[in-house]
Amino acid sequence: MTAAHSARASILARLRRGQVSPLPAPTLDTWTSQLDQAEYLHSLETQLTAAHAEVLHAGPQGWRLALEQVCARYGIRQLMLPDMPGLLSAWEGGPALQTFDQPMEALKDPLFDQVDAGLTLATCAIADTGTLVILSSPAQPRSLSLVPPVHICLLDARRLYPDMPTALAEERWAAAMPTNLIFVSGPSKTADIQQTLAYGAHGPKSLVVILTEEDLL
């Protein structure tokens, strides 16, 4: 037996003789912030704004007007929506609306070449990191938030958690793990080239978050 094989055998023998105890479950209480909901919202907005996102307060039933104003200000001519019936109807003078209601192959050309903005609905948000959590699904594929140059996200401000452990517990993801979750903390950015920060290299150049108090999901 070579020296290497002898050392390996010795290590394995010691491991087999040892008693391996399971690791204790992590305690999430030490992670959880004690801020109130208004402070959570302030933290979320501060973090998002620092990451070059725009945050708008629409209030109950006001998100459609806010969305119309965003589209006018950004010069959005074509807006792609999740396949959620009744979410939004066309408005006079607004952008053309297209629903993601076909396979990706059928929508790839307009999505990459014609659509100016993608609209998504966040499942919830995390205050201490300024992170939007978007559940990907056939009705709301991840490409809506990753491909168009402008990403507009609607968030029910009541679905706001102080931190990731609280979100994990309250959303019960451990019991029913989603197929895909998208975490968004600002527009796309990179500093790969000469360490110069650039926006929009790998995704949307602009992120607009519209806060409402309406259950849209």
Side-chain angles (χ1 to χ4, degrees):
M1 179 181 295
T2 66
H5 287 153
S6 178
R8 178 176 179 273
S10 176
I11 292 170
L12 290 175
R14 288 200 301 272
L15 290 174
R16 292 188 184 102
R17 289 195 300 269
Q19 296 296 319
V20 180
S21 301
L23 294 174
T27 301
L28 300 182
D29 293 343
T30 57
W31 293 66
T32 303
S33 167
Q34 299 302 313
L35 301 177
D36 62 25
Q37 198 69 12
E39 291 172 309
Y40 295 158
L41 191 58
H42 176 72
S43 175
L44 176 77
E45 185 170 359
T46 298
Q47 297 290 343
L48 282 168
T49 303
H52 288 243
E54 180 181 358
V55 181
L56 303 176
H57 293 258
Q61 305 296 323
W63 65 267
R64 290 174 179 82
L65 177 59
L67 177 61
E68 183 176 355
Q69 293 170 344
V70 168
C71 289
R73 186 152 43 85
Y74 279 81
I76 294 169
R77 295 165 298 177
Q78 187 159 337
L79 177 67
M80 185 167 280
L81 313 172
D83 187 15
M84 299 177 180
L87 175 63
L88 190 65
S89 58
W91 57 73
E92 186 177 351
L97 303 180
Q98 181 164 1
T99 303
F100 206 112
D101 55 2
Q102 302 178 57
M104 180 62 181
E105 278 302 313
L107 294 174
K108 184 166 62 175
D109 287 345
L111 180 63
F112 279 85
D113 299 330
Q114 300 169 20
V115 170
D116 300 304
L119 179 70
T120 63
L121 278 62
T123 298
C124 61
I126 300 168
D128 66 354
T129 57
T131 302
L132 306 170
V133 183
I134 302 169
L135 177 62
S136 178
S137 69
Q140 181 172 256
R142 59 186 179 180
S143 51
L144 267 179
S145 65
L146 299 176
V147 175
V150 178
H151 174 201
I152 304 171
C153 185
L154 300 176
L155 169 65
D156 183 346
R158 299 168 298 181
R159 297 188 58 80
L160 182 58
Y161 301 113
D163 46 44
M164 178 66 79
T166 306
L168 287 170
E170 294 295 326
E171 292 293 321
R172 302 183 183 276
W173 289 325
M177 184 65 68
T179 303
N180 185 265
L181 283 173
I182 304 164
F183 293 85
V184 178
S185 298
S188 166
K189 51 187 174 289
T190 182
D192 290 346
I193 301 174
Q194 298 182 343
Q195 296 185 347
T196 300
L197 186 62
Y199 291 87
H202 305 301
K205 187 175 182 178
S206 301
L207 170 65
V208 182
V209 181
I210 299 177
L211 300 173
T212 182
E213 294 181 6
E214 185 176 348
D215 185 8
L216 300 172
L217 294 173

